[in-house]
Amino acid sequence: MDWMNMTEQQISETLSSFGAPSFRTKQVMEWLKRGVRPADMSNLPKSLREQMASIPFGGASIFQKYVSQRDGTIKYLFSLEDGNIVEGVLMRYSYGNTVCLSTQIGCKMGCKFCASTLEGCIRNLTPGEMLSFLAEIERDEPSEDDKKRTVTNIVLMGSGEPLDNYDNVVTFLKRVTSPDGPHISPRNISVSTCGIVPKIYQFIDDAPHVTLSISLHAHNDETRSALMPINKVYSIDKLIEAAHTYADRTGRRVVFEYALIGETNDSHKDALLLAKKLKGIMCHVNLIPLNPVKERGLKGVSREHAYEFCNWLNNEHISATVRREMGTDIDGACGQLRRRVLNDLSR
Ligand code: SAH
């Protein structure tokens, strides 16, 4: 066990085994909530801090940082205590700041367009590590207004498949939304999945107030299975049925992510068939012009074409928008920065 992943009771028991009085628990929890390591917990006696340092901290540190000159987006590489590194991003919008966090180191889902999955999944991230990414970003980029937080929104869209690390992600969501923790509104949190259908049903009960984002990327099994191996396990109709149930049971609009891939899923006919599949579901389609990954050999589309595809959907009364491009000068698609840096380090 490490500090960032202990429950209040475990913290209290550990501190009492060090001979510390019970009021220390609250102090330590306050620090941990902000991702502060024992050595820097300035209101604790030095001897206690030294005792605490005998247990791993379990959090992340900022390893590298890249700031976009175009829009202020910041891409972080975090290092973890076992030496792994993983990405996170801070994006600035007019309504607030969004962080994009990873849930696994690598990914085992094997999507054909994605850089994060090229070397498989190394391990799951712990709830404490995910909380620590948030705390590190807030410490690195404090809000100019003291009373406000830097981060208002979270998307679990970095590397990894959140529903393949189900328990840790649900624990993270509970802690990050808790009034005793960062207290981010679940309505401001999106969880993106490639479509692990049974876990989507479980998620209805475990996290009903977040936004579920489903990476669809195709309107039929043939194309989807070619792009996303998970579709061979759970067909597109089963996935859409789960999304429909999620929307009906939670009252929350489901977001479908659709990466536009040249000559693969981007024709007028594709738009019409996609609209037909989604009819009657409370949903929104987020169109993403594919960010071509060097190793993958799939084509992107122009932004003009993405807007055209968007109009085709809108004409069929499907709510859709083209995702804004952020930080295009500091990296490419998700997982690319980590790969580039790992390659550079191993040279
Ligand atoms: N595993 C989760 C979340 C991580 S990926 C999921 O599949 O949803 C976050 C989003 O980025 C997903 O919609 C994914 O399909 C998309 N994505 C991955 N690589 C991409 C690329 N090269 N271009 C555009 N979108 C990409």
Side-chain angles (χ1 to χ4, degrees):
M1 195 43 102
D2 55 59
W3 289 110
M4 285 299 285
N5 283 298
M6 282 189 205
T7 60
E8 181 172 356
Q9 173 150 9
Q10 287 165 327
I11 292 172
S12 157
E13 283 166 10
T14 312
L15 291 175
S16 110
S17 76
F18 292 153
S22 59
F23 70 88
R24 295 287 180 207
T25 304
K26 197 157 169 274
Q27 291 177 317
V28 167
M29 287 191 56
E30 275 298 311
W31 287 118
L32 291 175
K33 190 166 86 185
R34 288 188 273 141
V36 173
R37 283 156 206 278
D40 300 323
M41 296 183 177
S42 55
N43 58 356
L44 304 188
K46 192 159 173 264
S47 57
L48 180 59
R49 284 185 262 156
E50 280 167 6
Q51 282 171 302
M52 287 177 71
S54 62
I55 293 173
F57 171 60
S61 326
I62 295 171
F63 172 66
Q64 282 179 8
K65 174 180 174 182
Y66 302 79
V67 183
S68 164
Q69 299 309 309
R70 285 190 200 146
D71 53 32
T73 295
I74 305 179
K75 187 120 200 182
Y76 290 96
L77 279 179
F78 297 105
S79 62
L80 303 169
E81 288 183 351
D82 62 0
N84 274 302
I85 62 169
V86 69
E87 291 163 286
V89 189
L90 172 68
M91 292 166 286
R92 297 171 192 282
Y93 294 98
S94 53
Y95 56 80
N97 295 322
T98 298
V99 290
C100 173
L101 301 181
S102 297
T103 54
Q104 295 177 317
I105 300 166
C107 183
K108 63 169 182 255
M109 293 299 146
C111 298
K112 294 288 181 278
F113 42 80
C114 184
S116 300
T117 195
L118 285 164
E119 268 121 38
C121 179
I122 298 173
R123 71 167 171 87
N124 286 331
L125 290 166
T126 67
E129 286 170 328
M130 291 182 252
L131 284 161
S132 179
F133 300 150
L134 184 67
E136 288 294 292
I137 292 175
E138 296 233 306
R139 269 204 302 175
D140 186 59
E141 286 287 319
S143 166
E144 279 158 23
D145 177 346
D146 273 357
K147 291 185 201 68
K148 292 206 181 124
R149 308 187 57 91
T150 305
V151 175
T152 52
N153 296 61
I154 298 178
V155 295
L156 295 188
M157 289 192 185
S159 66
E161 166 50 43
L163 300 190
D164 185 45
N165 182 14
Y166 191 86
D167 292 343
N168 285 349
V169 164
V170 168
T171 304
F172 166 74
L173 292 174
K174 287 202 174 114
R175 286 181 63 187
V176 85
T177 53
S178 156
D180 298 333
H183 204 188
I184 294 195
S185 164
R187 295 183 182 278
N188 293 350
I189 302 180
S190 291
V191 177
S192 181
T193 177
C194 64
I196 305 183
V197 169
K199 299 284 183 196
I200 293 178
Y201 285 105
Q202 233 176 302
F203 212 56
I204 295 176
D205 296 319
D206 290 332
H209 304 296
V210 303
T211 298
L212 182 68
S213 249
I214 293 183
S215 300
L216 196 62
H217 306 326
H219 55 75
N220 63 23
D221 280 325
E222 193 192 345
T223 309
R224 196 165 191 273
S225 294
L227 293 172
M228 304 177 72
I230 190 72
N231 195 71
K232 294 178 194 150
V233 187
Y234 308 109
S235 69
I236 194 160
D237 286 340
K238 292 241 152 56
L239 175 59
I240 287 182
E241 196 179 308
H244 204 155
T245 309
Y246 188 91
D248 286 351
R249 294 253 312 270
T250 62
R252 305 276 298 150
R253 188 171 78 156
V254 170
V255 175
F256 290 104
E257 309 279 333
Y258 193 94
L260 286 162
I261 309 175
E263 295 159 35
T264 303
N265 64 1
D266 66 330
S267 69
H268 187 209
K269 193 170 162 218
D270 289 319
L272 296 180
L273 291 171
L274 175 63
K276 202 167 158 208
K277 272 267 176 252
L278 303 182
K279 273 259 139 70
I281 305 178
M282 189 169 48
C283 70
H284 178 81
V285 178
N286 207 350
L287 297 166
I288 319 161
L290 181 84
N291 204 335
V293 174
K294 188 169 89 237
E295 294 85 343
R296 294 310 213 175
L298 290 167
K299 286 191 188 132
V301 301
S302 67
R303 279 196 82 76
E304 289 68 36
H305 183 55
Y307 287 120
E308 187 178 28
F309 194 92
C310 188
N311 283 335
W312 291 333
L313 289 178
N314 292 156
N315 290 342
E316 299 303 307
H317 309 291
I318 297 289
S319 153
T321 43
V322 179
R323 184 190 282 174
R324 231 177 98 190
E325 281 183 300
M326 306 286 280
T328 43
D329 53 333
I330 47 174
D331 85 323
C334 166
Q336 283 180 325
L337 177 64
R338 174 174 172 269
R339 277 181 66 74
R340 184 161 60 69
V341 172
L342 284 179
N343 284 341
D344 289 353
L345 288 177
S346 63
R347 246 178 233 140

